[in-house]
Amino acid sequence: MRVNPLNVFTPAQEIQDIDRFAGRQEELQGLANALQSQGTQIVLYGQRGVGKSSLARQLLKLSTHEEEIVSRLDPEPYETLDFLPVYVSCDDSVEKVEDVLLRLLSDEEALASWVPFKVVEKSGSQSVSGRLNIKVVQLGGDQKDTMTERAQHFEDDVVTVFSNACKDITRTGVAKDGLLIVVDEFDRVGDRAGLASLLKTLGPEGVTFALVGVATTVQELITEHESVARQLTGGTIQVEPMNAAELDEIFDRAESIMEKEYTFLKEAREWIIEIARGHPFYVHLVGKHALLEAIRKDNKEIDLQTAQDALSEIALKGSAPIQEHTYKKAIGHSYTRESILKSFAERREDEIHTTELYASLSKTLGIEPSAVSVYVGQLASETYGNVLQKTRDRYYRFADSLFKAYAAARPFERTPSDQENA
């Protein structure tokens, strides 16, 4: 094997290498069409763990007409795509749109290297309008030397500075099609007010935004979507869970990278694809652990038992820490609550009707349907992680489809003899 086996599957990060990127033909074509449509802004939304960030990384490559990804399109773009792409990812410290803009202006992977100034937040100060005040420090000196600060400082709001910076960049003609700004994990921004105004103002200036985030509708991601509906026409792409053929392609590409020194048998592939429920994250997670176990045992073929053992090891070692923590918080010390959680997780429909399920669980667990309802209420409470959400009378859904798949596949933690803690 010529590659590091630890990096054949990459559950810990998005796919950046096109050789490892599987499926998503329809989504790639949609992105290519959006990039070719003047004035169109892009939104990528969907469930957690379905590969939105990996698709966003491919969008960056597509925007500069990289041949390896363009060759996957049918038809290929009518003209050579020539954008200046920049990327930023949001986290819990990014509370509002102004914070996103500040990060874009100050991040080297974004616009920092393209603007002739540096931007820092003016500590402890906000304007009367509530907009973030920043300090813009003009830079001078030879580009070959370390940039030096000029004595002249001035202050302005971040929206104005960002807008002017984008306009200045596009007007230089550095890229024929303008500026592409990819904002990943945009759903983590609490206050998204003001975004629509930016999209409308900068769109005609050659600035294309691509907003990526967890959401079931565009409305969830862009609160002011009505005012920019026209700009989103043709650029709204819902990233659905991957189908079985696309997930199977992940194994094909992994085996190709390993030059087929190790291969996944059909039954192992099918089982992993089944438990993944359309989430490539789980194919990468279980595939990685199964591969490492096969290498340890010097087995060139990964069979079903190896794959199943890998999932047990993942739970035992906490290799999916977020999902494992959520699972243990949800079940506590209760076998009954764990059984109810797993029964809900095994249902394939998004909205789960409770009437028949309550009756079945009541019979299986030997408790009254009213008691089942109490446990379900606990799973929808903050104490037990809010893993379920009540959508309407007698209907629940999982707050996170990625966790739902994990809860369904993970081996039982508790036994009937465990002490109940309802």
Side-chain angles (χ1 to χ4, degrees):
M1 185 186 298
R2 296 181 179 178
V3 298
N4 183 346
L6 292 169
N7 294 323
V8 171
F9 295 95
T10 55
Q13 69 173 25
E14 67 272 13
I15 304 298
Q16 298 193 36
D17 186 351
I18 185 62
D19 290 336
R20 300 170 185 263
F21 185 78
R24 298 302 188 194
Q25 182 67 31
E26 183 177 343
E27 289 83 354
L28 287 174
Q29 197 70 53
L31 290 173
N33 292 342
L35 289 176
Q36 296 175 81
S37 303
Q38 291 183 354
T40 295
Q41 303 293 330
I42 297 171
V43 178
L44 282 172
Y45 71 98
Q47 300 171 0
R48 194 177 308 279
V50 295
K52 298 182 300 300
S53 293
S54 294
L55 193 56
R57 288 292 185 176
Q58 302 314 309
L59 172 61
L60 295 172
K61 298 176 183 294
L62 184 60
S63 71
T64 58
H65 212 89
E66 290 195 19
E67 183 58 34
E68 287 182 317
I69 191 167
V70 168
S71 64
R72 293 195 188 186
L73 302 176
D74 185 19
E76 293 188 5
Y78 295 101
E79 295 182 355
T80 300
L81 295 171
D82 181 26
F83 285 84
L84 172 62
V86 299
Y87 171 92
V88 70
S89 181
C90 302
D91 53 36
D92 292 338
S93 67
V94 181
E95 299 177 354
K96 50 189 176 295
V97 169
E98 286 86 353
D99 294 333
V100 178
L101 305 185
L102 186 61
R103 180 163 293 188
L104 281 164
L105 287 167
S106 57
D107 194 320
E108 288 298 325
E109 192 176 2
L111 296 174
S113 61
W114 290 94
V115 294
F117 50 77
K118 66 179 181 180
V119 181
V120 294
E121 181 179 351
K122 182 185 177 186
S123 59
S125 176
Q126 286 195 344
S127 65
V128 176
S129 66
R131 297 168 79 182
L132 180 68
N133 270 353
I134 60 171
K135 179 171 68 176
V136 179
V137 182
Q138 299 283 6
L139 298 176
D142 193 325
Q143 286 187 341
K144 293 181 292 184
D145 302 322
T146 302
M147 300 290 275
T148 58
E149 295 185 10
R150 291 180 182 172
Q152 180 184 5
H153 292 190
F154 64 95
E155 295 173 11
D156 208 339
D157 70 87
V158 68
V159 176
T160 300
V161 173
F162 176 80
S163 298
N164 289 337
C166 289
K167 292 174 184 178
D168 288 344
I169 291 171
T170 57
R171 288 168 184 170
T172 64
V174 66
K176 172 178 65 69
D177 295 315
L179 183 62
L180 172 67
I181 300 175
V182 178
V183 183
D184 201 358
E185 300 199 52
F186 186 65
D187 57 289
R188 300 180 74 169
V189 181
D191 182 2
R192 301 166 204 167
L195 173 70
S197 178
L198 270 174
L199 298 182
K200 293 170 71 173
T201 300
L202 292 178
E205 298 290 338
V207 180
T208 300
F209 283 86
L211 307 173
V212 186
V214 176
T216 56
T217 64
V218 176
Q219 291 89 330
E220 287 183 24
L221 203 60
I222 304 180
T223 54
E224 304 163 308
H225 68 282
E226 297 93 345
S227 63
V228 288
R230 181 178 179 182
Q231 285 79 12
L232 299 179
T233 301
T236 301
I237 298 175
Q238 183 174 8
V239 185
E240 300 279 5
M242 295 178 77
N243 61 40
E246 290 177 316
L247 294 176
D248 198 48
E249 187 183 337
I250 296 175
F251 292 109
D252 291 339
R253 292 186 175 278
E255 290 178 2
S256 177
I257 290 169
M258 296 185 290
E259 298 182 344
K260 292 193 177 294
E261 183 176 351
Y262 293 87
T263 58
F264 284 78
L265 297 181
K266 184 174 183 290
E267 59 180 5
R269 287 188 179 211
E270 290 178 346
W271 182 79
I272 295 173
I273 290 171
E274 173 69 17
I275 67 168
R277 295 192 178 186
H279 298 83
F281 169 78
Y282 285 127
V283 174
H284 282 272
L285 181 66
V286 180
K288 177 175 182 175
H289 283 265
L291 172 62
L292 295 177
E293 179 64 12
I295 293 173
R296 187 182 71 81
K297 293 181 177 179
D298 196 26
N299 293 334
K300 299 298 184 182
E301 295 180 332
I302 293 94
D303 59 14
L304 175 60
Q305 187 60 55
T306 302
Q308 292 175 335
D309 289 345
L311 180 60
S312 298
E313 181 189 30
I314 288 166
L316 179 65
K317 293 185 176 180
S319 299
I322 295 175
Q323 289 75 27
E324 183 65 11
H325 172 76
T326 303
Y327 188 89
K328 289 186 174 177
K329 182 175 183 178
I331 67 171
H333 298 287
S334 172
Y335 170 78
T336 302
R337 190 163 47 249
E338 182 176 21
S339 298
I340 293 172
L341 172 67
K342 291 182 74 66
S343 294
F344 269 77
E346 287 164 2
R347 300 297 290 262
R348 290 307 186 104
E349 63 269 32
D350 181 53
E351 265 195 325
I352 303 165
H353 188 232
T354 59
T355 301
E356 292 184 4
L357 186 54
Y358 279 11
S360 174
L361 285 167
S362 173
K363 182 177 180 180
T364 301
L365 297 171
I367 60 177
E368 293 295 321
S370 59
V372 176
S373 178
V374 171
Y375 280 106
V376 171
Q378 291 174 351
L379 291 170
S381 71
E382 184 177 353
T383 302
Y384 295 95
N386 299 116
V387 294
L388 292 181
Q389 296 176 335
K390 188 171 185 177
T391 56
R392 50 190 170 129
D393 187 37
R394 299 182 181 179
Y395 282 88
Y396 283 84
R397 68 184 294 272
F398 275 80
D400 183 352
S401 68
L402 191 65
F403 173 73
K404 180 181 181 180
Y406 185 81
R410 187 199 188 281
F412 263 90
E413 176 80 7
R414 300 297 173 188
T415 66
S417 61
D418 285 332
Q419 180 181 357
E420 291 293 329
N421 181 11

